[in-house]
Amino acid sequence: MVDTKQIADHMEVVGSCGNHVGTVDHLDGNRIKLTAQDSADGKHHFLALDAVEAVRDGKVVTRMNHKQALASLQAA
């Protein structure tokens, strides 16, 4: 699992392919809460921390491509 201290509010979340998934609102236990303004439905969604591969170049990178990551998001 990635070191959660490396994940900061307002970091971009991208898929393993490099495409945009969302923006970190804040950490919420073992999940990342994404900003509502950045989602297609205008609501907050959560990404499980175990879906995160790494933090690189100031971005949170998921273990899956952006389409798979978007499909795995949990509604708030």
Side-chain angles (χ1 to χ4, degrees):
M1 187 188 291
V2 72
D3 180 5
T4 57
K5 293 176 188 155
Q6 295 180 320
I7 300 173
D9 297 356
H10 310 295
M11 286 181 103
E12 183 180 15
V13 179
V14 297
S16 58
C17 58
N19 291 326
H20 185 77
V21 172
T23 304
V24 175
D25 188 86
H26 65 273
L27 287 176
D28 184 17
N30 62 347
R31 308 180 298 178
I32 298 173
K33 186 174 187 178
L34 301 176
T35 61
Q37 329 50 326
D38 207 21
S39 71
D41 63 4
K43 297 179 182 176
H44 290 282
H45 292 89
F46 293 96
L47 177 69
L49 279 175
D50 51 352
V52 176
E53 178 183 331
V55 176
R56 283 195 295 266
D57 302 323
K59 297 178 183 179
V60 177
V61 183
T62 67
R63 297 182 185 280
M64 57 203 98
N65 69 42
H66 73 288
K67 289 181 181 181
Q68 294 166 319
L70 288 168
S72 77
L73 296 180
Q74 303 163 349

